[in-house]
């Protein structure tokens, strides 16, 4: 037999210390458990002393069943009331959603009706305007009408910013070649090219001379 060494003979295993918070929790649980046991014993003793014949197992079972039936009945009644309230609430929500949906559909129909009325008016206007459209059938007539009633949108602006409208352009007669002329507003009284040149060029020379003197 081998003799154990000194380290093996006298080594004592020490258990790990429990954390302080765990110890406090265990003490609290023990106090709660003992309090519950004492309360149950006290209630049991009071009920036993209050009963003249002591405990009757059949009577206790009957009372327990009656209490259970009463609790089940109350629970069923409560569930029924909650179910009725839920059905009523869901019905109100559905009615509100239906009303909102119908209102939205009505608003959309009104918008579509307004758009349809606007489109109808535009189409009728285009149909009315189409009577004056240029087509293959009335092309010659429209060309002759344009030649008979020429329109000139040119205009000039003088140095004072006044707008000078152009004169009515020359009518193009059928069979006669039209000759291009200068701008009509260049030959109107008081605004000829020569007079404009006498106004603009001296002023430009004065500006150039002033700039040279300033330098």
């Amino acid at each position: 037999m081998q003799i154990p060494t000194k380290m093996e003979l006298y080594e004592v295993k020490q258990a790990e210390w429990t954390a302080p918070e765990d110890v406090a929790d265990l003490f609290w649980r023990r106090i709660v458990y003992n309090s519950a046991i004492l309360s149950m014993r006290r209630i049991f003793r009071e009920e036993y002393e209050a009963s003249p014949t002591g405990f009757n197992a059949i009577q206790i079972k009957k009372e327990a069943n009656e209490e259970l039936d009463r609790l089940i009945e109350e629970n069923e009644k409560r569930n029924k009331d909650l179910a009725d309230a839920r059905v009523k609430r869901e019905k109100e929500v559905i009615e509100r959603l239906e009303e909102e949906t119908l209102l939205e559909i009505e608003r959309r129909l009104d918008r579509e009706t307004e758009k349809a009325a606007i489109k109808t008016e535009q189409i009728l206007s285009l149909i009315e305007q189409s009577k004056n459209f240029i087509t293959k059938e009335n092309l010659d007539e429209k060309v002759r009408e344009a030649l008979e009633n020429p329109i000139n949108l040119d205009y000039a602006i003088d140095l004072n910013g006044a707008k000078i409208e152009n004169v009515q352009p020359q009518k193009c007669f059928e069979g006669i070649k039209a000759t291009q002329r200068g701008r009509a507003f260049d030959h109107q009284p008081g605004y000829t090219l020569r007079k404009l040149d006498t106004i603009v060029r001296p002023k430009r020379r004065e500006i150039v001379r002033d700039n040279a003197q300033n330098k």
Side-chain angles (χ1 to χ4, degrees):
M1 180 177 180
Q2 185 178 1
I3 299 174
T5 61
K6 185 177 181 180
M7 294 296 295
E8 293 178 352
L9 183 61
Y10 297 102
E11 183 179 5
V12 178
K13 299 292 184 180
Q14 296 290 342
E16 296 182 0
W17 290 94
T18 306
E21 55 272 13
D22 295 339
V23 174
D25 184 67
L26 291 174
F27 272 116
W28 176 79
R29 291 175 182 272
R30 181 180 179 183
I31 293 172
V32 172
Y33 174 77
N34 291 335
S35 299
I37 294 297
L38 292 175
S39 299
M40 291 174 63
R41 287 179 178 178
R42 180 174 54 80
I43 293 172
F44 183 80
R45 188 180 298 108
E46 291 176 356
E47 290 181 354
Y48 181 78
E49 292 176 355
S51 178
T53 58
F55 283 102
N56 188 349
I58 298 176
Q59 184 66 22
I60 293 174
K61 185 176 181 180
K62 181 179 179 181
E63 292 177 356
N65 291 333
E66 291 177 355
E67 184 178 4
L68 178 62
D69 294 338
R70 180 179 58 81
L71 294 175
I72 291 174
E73 184 179 357
E74 291 179 357
N75 186 56
E76 290 179 353
K77 182 180 179 181
R78 181 173 178 273
N79 291 336
K80 184 176 181 301
D81 295 339
L82 292 176
D84 295 340
R86 183 172 60 254
V87 171
K88 182 179 179 181
R89 186 169 59 253
E90 291 177 353
K91 184 178 179 181
E92 292 177 355
V93 172
I94 292 174
E95 290 178 354
R96 187 176 70 254
L97 291 176
E98 289 179 353
E99 184 178 359
E100 293 177 356
T101 304
L102 292 175
L103 290 175
E104 181 64 23
I105 292 173
E106 186 176 357
R107 285 194 294 267
R108 290 191 178 184
L109 289 176
D110 293 339
R111 289 197 296 267
E112 294 296 333
T113 303
E114 293 177 359
K115 291 181 180 179
I118 295 173
K119 295 296 183 182
T120 303
E121 185 178 356
Q122 292 177 353
I123 291 172
L124 293 176
S125 177
L126 289 175
I127 293 174
E128 185 67 23
Q129 294 175 7
S130 65
K131 297 178 181 179
N132 298 323
F133 287 173
I134 298 175
T135 60
K136 186 177 180 180
E137 289 76 12
N138 63 357
L139 178 60
D140 296 336
E141 180 183 354
K142 293 296 182 181
V143 170
R144 187 176 296 105
E145 182 180 351
L147 294 175
E148 290 292 336
N149 302 288
I151 299 175
N152 193 346
L153 302 178
D154 292 341
Y155 62 90
I157 299 177
D158 61 5
L159 296 177
N160 297 323
K163 183 177 179 181
I164 304 172
E165 298 289 347
N166 200 351
V167 297
Q168 187 70 16
Q170 183 181 4
K171 186 187 299 185
C172 181
F173 296 98
E174 187 175 359
I176 301 176
K177 185 177 180 181
T179 57
Q180 184 177 3
R181 300 186 305 169
R183 294 177 297 179
F185 52 77
D186 291 341
H187 305 285
Q188 290 186 5
Y191 295 98
T192 60
L193 284 176
R194 183 176 299 174
K195 187 171 183 179
L196 291 175
D197 185 66
T198 57
I199 295 174
V200 175
R201 289 189 178 180
K203 190 172 183 179
R204 186 178 301 171
R205 285 197 295 269
E206 291 177 2
I207 295 173
V208 173
R209 185 171 59 253
D210 293 340
N211 292 335
Q213 291 177 0
N214 292 332
K215 291 181 179 180

